[in-house]
Amino acid sequence: TGNAMTMWLEARAHTRQMENMLLSEDRETKVIDKLVEQGWDRDDVPILLPEWDNLVYKPTPLTDQTWRRIYPKLIPLLEYCRAERLSRERRERQMDRMEDFYDLYSDYISSRMAEDSSLSRGHFLLAANLLSRVPELKKQLEEEDVGGYTEQKWETHVEAVARVNEAYKAKALSLLAGVVQKGTRDDSVVKKEERSMEPEEPQAGPSTSTSTPPPTSSSDMSNLTKITTVFKCTVCHERLWYPAVLSHTCCRGKVDRSLGQYFEDMDDNVFEDELEDAYFLFAMTTFGYTYEYRKRRNRSNEPFNVDNLALDGRWEQMVRMALRDLGLSENATVQEVEAEGAQFTSLMCDGGAERNEGLSFLEIIDHNCSRHDTPVDDTQAVIKRDPPSDEANASSVES
C-alpha cells in the first residue's frame, strides 16, 4: 500500500543516513590519527571550521591518494588552530599571574591595615593603577611567559609598591584637605577665586599634576577626620565621611584602562564603593557597566580626583545638633562616634514605628536629612540615645 511504501522509503533513507554518518566518522578518525602521526596536536585539529567538513567529513573511504590531496590543504587550518591555542594558553598563564599578584596585593593591604588601624582600603591604589605606577612589576606580569607569580617575586617589588602607595595616599589626603579648606572659607573669597580662574596661556615647565604634594598638616588631618566634615558627591549625591570617601567610586578610576581587563571582577563592586569586592560579569552586561563607559567612574588622569566633591553644610548642621543632643564633642571622629553602636532614635519622626529606633549615629543623620527638613530652631532635639535593653541590663547585673 501507499503507507507501507512510504514507511519503507523513510526507513531506508534513515539507514542510509546512518551508514553515511558512520563512514564519515570513520574517515574523520583516520585523518586525525594520520595528523597525530605527522606530529600535530589533537587540540589543533580544526574540526569546528567549515573547511574541515568539506575536506574530511565525507562518507567516502580515505585512500592514500585522497590523503595526499587533502593534507596540504589541512596544513593552513592546523597552523591557524595551533596559533590560536598557543595564544589562548599564553593569555591563561598571564591571567594566572595577574590573579596571583592580586591575591598577594590584597594580602599586603590587609597586613598593612592590621599594622596601622588608621588605614583603610581607600588609602591604597587600585590594582590596575598600582601596575601602571610600578613599570617593572607590570612588565614582569605581562611579558614573562610562566604560569604563576610567586611570593618570592612579589617580595622584590614590595618596596616599590609601598613607595607608590605612600605617594598616592599623600596626594589623596592633600586633595581632600583642599576640599575642606575651600569649603570652610568665606563664600565671597571662594567666588572671587573662581572668577579669577580664567584660562591662561600654557607656561613652559614641568607639570605639577604628578608632583608629590607636601605632607598634610596635623590641623588639616584633624579637620578631615572630624565627623562634622561631611562630603557630598555631585554625581551620585551620596554623603561621605573620611576615610570612606577615599573608596568612593566617583573619585577613583583606572588611569591605565588597558589593565582593567585583568581586574574586572576584582577591583570594584558595581553597587558598593569598596576597593576589592568582586562583582559578577553578568551585572556588567545586563546593566551596561564597563570600565570605558561607566558614568560614575572617575575619568581623570589621576587615580583619585575630588572635582565632584564638596562639603555639605546642611548635613554638617544636623551632625552638630545630634552631637549636642548626645553630649559628644564636635571634634569626635567617625570611628569614635560609631563606636557607640546602633543605639539611637530619631526625634524628628511622628512616633511609633517611624521613629527609627536602634540605628547607628550615621544612619540617624542620613534619615533625618533625607526624610525631614532641617529644623529652623537650632535648639530642637533631633536624636536621643536608646535606653539599655533588658538583655544588657541582665548581663550587667550578672557581672
Side-chain angles (χ1 to χ4, degrees), residues 139-394:
K139 182 178 180 180
Q140 188 174 70
L141 290 173
E142 288 190 326
E143 298 181 5
E144 187 179 59
D145 194 14
V146 295
Y149 179 71
T150 64
E151 187 171 357
Q152 289 74 18
K153 293 179 180 178
W154 164 254
E155 291 297 332
T156 64
H157 297 112
V158 167
E159 185 177 343
V161 169
R163 185 169 59 252
V164 297
N165 270 311
E166 194 62 31
Y168 166 73
K169 183 179 75 170
K171 182 69 174 290
L173 293 180
S174 177
L175 292 173
L176 287 176
V179 175
V180 176
Q181 291 170 1
K182 181 178 180 180
T184 54
R185 283 178 286 172
D186 185 79
D187 288 343
S188 62
V189 175
V190 175
K191 291 179 180 178
K192 181 179 179 181
E193 288 181 352
E194 291 175 347
R195 286 196 300 270
S196 66
M197 293 176 64
E198 298 295 332
E200 299 180 357
E201 292 296 326
Q203 299 288 329
S207 171
T208 59
S209 61
T210 58
S211 59
T212 302
T216 306
S217 67
S218 57
S219 60
D220 286 337
M221 278 303 302
S222 177
N223 291 329
L224 182 60
T225 58
K226 288 180 181 178
I227 197 169
T228 52
T229 301
V230 187
F231 296 96
K232 65 178 177 180
C233 176
T234 58
V235 176
C236 66
H237 308 292
E238 186 173 351
R239 269 62 177 188
L240 305 148
W241 284 265
Y242 178 86
V245 64
L246 289 169
S247 299
H248 187 55
T249 300
C250 302
C251 299
R252 291 165 69 87
K254 288 182 172 56
V255 176
D256 188 344
R257 292 172 180 82
S258 66
L259 293 168
Q261 57 175 314
Y262 301 117
F263 309 105
E264 285 181 345
D265 59 344
M266 300 177 186
D267 260 348
D268 307 283
N269 190 295
V270 170
F271 308 108
E272 299 178 20
D273 291 318
E274 297 292 337
L275 173 63
E276 310 292 9
D277 283 352
Y279 61 83
F280 296 106
L281 185 59
F282 81 86
M284 292 188 65
T285 56
T286 302
F287 300 110
Y289 288 97
T290 68
Y291 281 111
E292 290 296 326
Y293 299 107
R294 278 182 68 184
K295 293 182 179 179
R296 289 186 59 197
R297 174 68 51 199
N298 163 31
R299 300 292 292 167
S300 76
N301 291 325
E302 293 294 329
F304 188 79
N305 187 279
V306 296
D307 291 346
N308 298 325
L309 289 181
L311 294 185
D312 194 310
R314 177 170 172 264
W315 281 55
E316 177 186 347
Q317 180 184 357
M318 183 63 69
V319 170
R320 294 184 184 277
M321 295 173 68
L323 292 172
R324 175 208 61 201
D325 293 346
L326 299 175
L328 299 176
S329 170
E330 291 189 356
N331 293 324
T333 65
V334 174
Q335 291 82 355
E336 291 171 346
V337 176
E338 284 290 87
E340 298 282 330
Q343 52 178 334
F344 303 107
T345 295
S346 171
L347 296 179
M348 298 185 67
C349 302
D350 296 331
E354 294 299 322
R355 292 181 69 86
N356 290 285
E357 301 175 348
L359 300 182
S360 71
F361 183 89
L362 295 186
E363 288 173 337
I364 292 292
I365 298 301
D366 188 356
H367 169 81
N368 285 353
C369 291
S370 301
R371 298 290 189 88
H372 306 284
D373 294 329
T374 304
V376 177
D377 184 4
D378 289 344
T379 63
Q380 177 181 337
V382 297
I383 190 175
K384 74 171 185 177
R385 195 186 306 272
D386 294 339
S389 63
D390 295 338
E391 293 180 1
N393 289 331

Side-chain angles (χ1 to χ4, degrees), residues 77-89:
L77 306 180
L78 291 160
E79 291 176 340
Y80 170 80
C81 289
R82 181 169 59 185
E84 287 291 304
R85 175 179 60 83
L86 294 175
S87 176
R88 183 173 62 254
E89 291 175 353

